[in-house]
Amino acid sequence: MSISTSPQAQLLPQSQKRFLPNPRTHTAHLSLPFRPIPIKCASTPAQLHTPQAPTQAHSQERLFNFAAGPATLPESVLRRAQSELFIWRGSGMSVMEMSHRGKDFKSIIEKAESDLRSLLQIPPEYSVLFLQGGATTQFAALPLNLCRSPHDPVDYIVTGSWSDKAFKEAQKYSKPNPIWSGKAQNYTNIPSFADLQQNPDARYLHICANETIHGVEYKTYPTPLNPNAVLVADMSSNFCSKPVDVSKFGVIYAGAQKNVGPSGVTIVIIRNDLIAQAQDVTPVMLEYRIHAENHSLYNTPPCYGIYMCGLVFEDLLEQGGLVEVEKKNQKKAEILYSAIDGSNGFYRCPVEKSVRSLMNVPFTLEKSELEGEFIKEAAKENMVQLKGHRSVGGMRASIYNAMPLAGVQKLVSFMKDFQAKHA
C-alpha cells in the first residue's frame, strides 16, 4: 500500500501529506567520507531537495513554553520530524528503527556534524562528539580526560549552581581550586578576570558560560594563566545562541535540550591534542579517545535525538546563522528586561545588568505573596513553566532560540496587565 493511501497518512492534515516520502522510491545511497563539508543527507537527487514544512506563526494549539529544559523546539522542525517519522526519506523505516552503523544513519550524523561545524566555524583540529549522559556526566569526564593524575590542579570559576556542581564532582578525580565564587552574592555577577588568582600549574580553567538557574552569562571569556592549560566551558544553556570563537577553548560541552534538540544528546567539541591523555581509571564510556576514534558510534548513540539536532542545525543555518540568531535573541531579551526594569520595582531582576543572560531571565515580584497567582494566571493564558528553580524561587522565563518573539511579547503584555491589577 502506498503511504499516501495508508491509514497513518489519512490521519495527517493534507498540508503535511506532501512531505511524506514515497516508499516505492529506492536507489543506492551516497557513499560519504566521515567528515565531509557539505553533506547532503538523502538518497536520490529528488530527495536532496526534500521540501521542508513551511515556517508558520505560533500555532494556537501550542503553549508558550518558558521551561529551562527540556525546552521548546522550533515548530518547523517538529513538523519536519512529524512528516519523516513513519518513513525517513525513502529508507522504508523510521530513524528510530535504523541501525546506527548503517548508511542512512551515518549520513544523518555526518550531516549534523557538518552543519554544526558550519554554524560555529569549528576549526578542523577539533573533534565533535555526540554523547549521552547530559552535561552532568562531563563534570567527571573532564578531569578524567584532561588530568594525567588525580593530583593535578585545575581551576574553577563558580558563578552558579552548575559550575558549583562541576567543581564538586571534579574533587573526585583532580585537585580543583575554586578561584572565585559568587555564592555570597547569590550568584548575581561574574568577576573581573584581572582579579582572579589562578594556579599557574592548573591543567585547565573551567567556567559555566550561562548559568541556567541564576541567569548569569559571560559576555567575554577569561584566559588560563598557565600557557599549557586550556579554557573549558559548559555551554549547555547558551549553545548555538550566538557566535563563539571555538579556538579560544580546549573543550566546549553542552546538553542539547535547551537550544538544539531534545534531551538525551550531549555535544562535546574538543581540541584533538587533548583527546589521548585520559587517566587509566577512566571508564570506557567516559573516554573521549574511544568516542573520537569511533566517530561517536562506539555504542548505540541517541540516534533520534541526533537526528533532531541535525534538523535544528539546518533551521539555524536557514535563519542566516548564529549572527542573525543572536540578533533575535538580543531583541527578545531587551523587551523582557525593559519591562522588568520599567515596572517601578513591581518586578525585579537580581542579576547585574552587564552579565544578564539572553537565555534565562529570573525575576521576582515586589509582593512575593503574588508569585503563585502570577504563575497560575499566566498558565491560564497559555504561558507555562514560569516558576523559578526550586533553589531560588521567584519566576524564570527561558527564552531560548526557539521561543518566538510573539511569546515574549505576550508575556510582557501579561506582566503589565498583572501589575495594573495588583500594584
Side-chain angles (χ1 to χ4, degrees):
M1 177 181 288
S2 166
I3 191 68
S4 62
T5 59
S6 68
Q8 294 90 339
Q10 291 171 7
L11 293 174
L12 292 174
Q14 187 63 38
S15 61
Q16 293 178 34
K17 290 181 183 178
R18 62 190 182 93
F19 299 113
L20 291 170
N22 185 345
R24 301 186 186 197
T25 302
H26 180 76
T27 57
H29 285 67
L30 294 172
S31 177
L32 299 170
F34 175 60
R35 283 176 182 145
I37 298 177
I39 296 171
K40 294 297 185 179
C41 191
S43 300
T44 68
Q47 290 167 342
L48 287 173
H49 302 286
T50 301
Q52 298 191 16
T55 302
Q56 298 183 4
H58 189 78
S59 299
Q60 294 300 314
E61 303 88 359
R62 284 176 57 81
L63 302 171
F64 284 116
N65 178 13
F66 291 93
T72 190
L73 285 163
E75 286 192 28
S76 60
V77 166
L78 293 173
R79 292 180 184 277
R80 173 78 174 275
Q82 181 186 46
S83 73
E84 296 181 337
L85 178 64
F86 185 56
I87 296 179
W88 181 81
R89 306 187 192 181
S91 67
M93 67 182 78
S94 171
V95 173
M96 289 184 282
E97 302 169 300
M98 60 181 56
S99 168
H100 64 291
R101 303 194 190 280
K103 290 186 290 185
D104 286 325
F105 185 72
K106 183 181 178 184
S107 73
I108 289 172
I109 194 170
E110 288 177 343
K111 178 66 159 54
E113 178 180 335
S114 177
D115 286 347
L116 179 58
R117 285 182 176 275
S118 296
L119 279 168
L120 285 172
Q121 299 181 16
I122 300 174
E125 61 269 22
Y126 285 74
S127 291
V128 175
L129 309 178
F130 293 95
L131 307 177
Q132 301 180 70
T136 303
T137 299
Q138 298 307 310
F139 297 167
L142 285 163
L144 284 167
N145 282 272
L146 301 186
C147 296
R148 290 190 169 89
S149 86
H151 305 293
D152 283 353
V154 291
D155 287 342
Y156 279 71
I157 302 176
V158 180
T159 52
S161 294
W162 292 112
S163 47
D164 183 55
K165 289 180 179 180
F167 160 73
K168 289 175 179 176
E169 185 72 358
Q171 291 176 320
K172 302 174 184 176
Y173 311 106
S174 61
K175 296 297 181 184
N177 177 34
I179 61 175
W180 187 89
S181 173
K183 186 173 184 180
Q185 296 81 37
N186 296 317
Y187 298 126
T188 55
N189 61 348
I190 287 175
S192 168
F193 302 146
D195 298 333
L196 297 177
Q197 298 298 313
Q198 297 187 47
N199 186 327
D201 298 317
R203 299 284 297 176
Y204 63 81
L205 172 61
H206 180 281
I207 65 171
C208 180
N210 185 86
E211 290 283 357
T212 317
I213 293 174
H214 295 91
V216 177
E217 182 174 19
Y218 283 77
K219 306 304 180 181
T220 59
Y221 302 107
T223 301
L225 178 63
N226 180 359
N228 297 316
V230 294
L231 181 61
V232 175
D234 176 357
M235 290 192 178
S236 293
S237 52
N238 66 350
F239 189 66
C240 286
S241 67
K242 60 183 179 180
V244 171
D245 184 353
V246 174
S247 68
K248 293 184 179 297
F249 300 84
V251 182
I252 292 171
Y253 65 100
Q257 68 274 11
K258 317 289 186 178
N259 268 319
V260 298
S263 61
V265 182
T266 306
I267 297 170
V268 173
I269 302 170
I270 180 169
R271 208 172 69 201
N272 291 336
D273 62 313
L274 302 173
I275 287 176
Q277 58 185 40
Q279 297 180 41
D280 292 339
V281 297
T282 305
V284 66
M285 284 303 295
L286 297 188
E287 188 170 349
Y288 295 144
R289 178 184 62 84
I290 297 296
H291 294 291
E293 290 177 350
N294 289 277
H295 312 309
S296 302
L297 299 172
Y298 175 73
N299 70 325
T300 307
C303 297
Y304 198 78
I306 293 170
Y307 156 76
M308 290 293 294
C309 288
L311 295 187
V312 172
F313 297 152
E314 288 184 14
D315 179 73
L316 295 176
L317 286 169
E318 288 168 4
Q319 291 183 49
L322 299 186
V323 172
E324 295 303 315
V325 169
E326 182 183 26
K327 291 177 184 177
K328 295 176 182 178
N329 288 330
Q330 288 173 332
K331 182 176 182 179
K332 290 184 296 185
E334 181 181 0
I335 291 172
L336 183 50
Y337 283 121
S338 294
I340 294 170
D341 294 339
S343 68
N344 294 318
F346 187 83
Y347 301 105
R348 298 173 179 174
C349 176
V351 180
E352 181 182 302
K353 288 185 178 182
S354 63
V355 293
R356 285 178 172 179
S357 171
L358 296 185
M359 299 285 98
N360 309 103
V361 181
F363 60 98
T364 59
L365 285 171
E366 183 180 28
K367 302 175 182 178
S368 59
E369 66 273 13
L370 292 174
E371 290 176 357
E373 184 175 352
F374 179 96
I375 293 165
K376 183 170 64 175
E377 292 300 315
K380 292 180 180 178
E381 298 296 324
N382 292 332
M383 293 176 288
V384 298
Q385 298 296 326
L386 283 164
K387 186 176 182 179
H389 190 269
R390 58 187 178 276
S391 64
V392 297
M395 279 77 65
R396 174 180 53 178
S398 294
I399 51 175
Y400 299 122
N401 291 349
M403 172 57 65
L405 177 61
V408 176
Q409 291 172 330
K410 182 171 182 177
L411 174 59
V412 167
S413 177
F414 169 79
M415 291 168 66
K416 291 178 179 178
D417 289 345
F418 189 86
Q419 179 177 355
K421 293 177 183 177
H422 299 283

